[in-house]
Amino acid sequence: MYGELVPQGGGDAIPLLKKTLLLGRRESCDIVLRFSNVSAHHCQLSVVGGYWYVRDKNSRNGVKVNGIRVTDKRIDPGDILSVAKHKYEIRYSPVELGAVGPPPADEPGQEIFGKSLLERAGLQKEPRVAKPTRPKPIHEGSIRYDITSDEPDQIRKRNHPI
């Protein structure tokens, strides 16, 4: 056993039997939460470096750790994991799961300075892409100048009949 989730409103503890677990409403999930506000595939729990991490799987009602909504986050022993509105305390021993040294970054495989704060908070807008410009059409009787040099006598005026 790799730890357990203890329901905060009472009930039996849920054992964490594998290093990667899918939580959701579907029967195919490793941990099935039969609540209408839990998404079919709500979130994934996984052990990385001796610590549990949670990853939201684009759920409708979100995932929180200690009351803060997250998409990818380390869960330390004693933290409260909220799946939709259902709260669980996570209990495990990082040392027994292979942890050595200080805890790693909150996001698995990410350094703390690898993303801007806006990116980590999910607030950064997509970069704007400039629309391609099209040359303006030449209308009958318009004048276009051919510039081949900076010298004034090299500038020629051309009429473009259509």
Side-chain angles (χ1 to χ4, degrees):
M1 188 164 84
Y2 297 98
E4 61 186 2
L5 293 175
V6 180
Q8 292 300 282
D12 296 333
I14 301 168
L16 304 174
L17 299 174
K18 301 188 315 186
K19 286 190 172 188
T20 300
L21 299 163
L22 183 62
L23 281 77
R25 199 176 63 242
R26 287 254 166 96
E27 293 297 323
S28 60
C29 292
D30 299 306
I31 297 176
V32 180
L33 301 174
R34 292 180 182 92
F35 302 105
S36 61
N37 61 348
V38 173
S39 295
H41 297 124
H42 202 95
C43 63
Q44 181 176 350
L45 296 176
S46 55
V47 175
V48 177
Y51 289 87
W52 280 100
Y53 287 82
V54 64
R55 172 175 283 159
D56 191 344
K57 304 291 275 180
N58 296 320
S59 64
R60 190 179 50 226
N61 291 311
V63 174
K64 293 180 181 179
V65 174
N66 297 327
I68 299 169
R69 191 163 183 159
V70 298
T71 55
D72 236 339
K73 173 114 175 70
R74 185 183 71 237
I75 316 170
D76 294 324
D79 282 352
I80 303 299
L81 174 67
S82 300
V83 178
K85 299 281 184 190
H86 310 282
K87 297 179 181 181
Y88 303 89
E89 178 187 350
I90 188 162
R91 294 183 184 167
Y92 70 99
S93 170
V95 173
E96 288 180 15
L97 298 181
V100 265
D106 270 350
E107 298 176 17
Q110 298 288 326
E111 290 300 320
I112 190 121
F113 298 110
K115 290 183 177 179
S116 73
L117 289 175
L118 290 174
E119 284 177 307
R120 293 179 70 210
L123 299 174
Q124 184 151 355
K125 293 181 180 179
E126 292 293 319
R128 295 182 87 186
V129 178
K131 292 182 181 177
T133 57
R134 296 182 359 201
K136 293 186 179 183
I138 300 173
H139 298 287
E140 187 173 339
S142 66
I143 299 173
R144 187 171 267 185
Y145 293 91
D146 290 333
I147 302 175
T148 57
S149 165
D150 289 337
E151 299 298 320
D153 60 342
Q154 296 295 322
I155 299 175
R156 293 177 304 186
K157 196 169 162 183
R158 275 194 326 192
N159 286 324
H160 288 277
I162 292 187

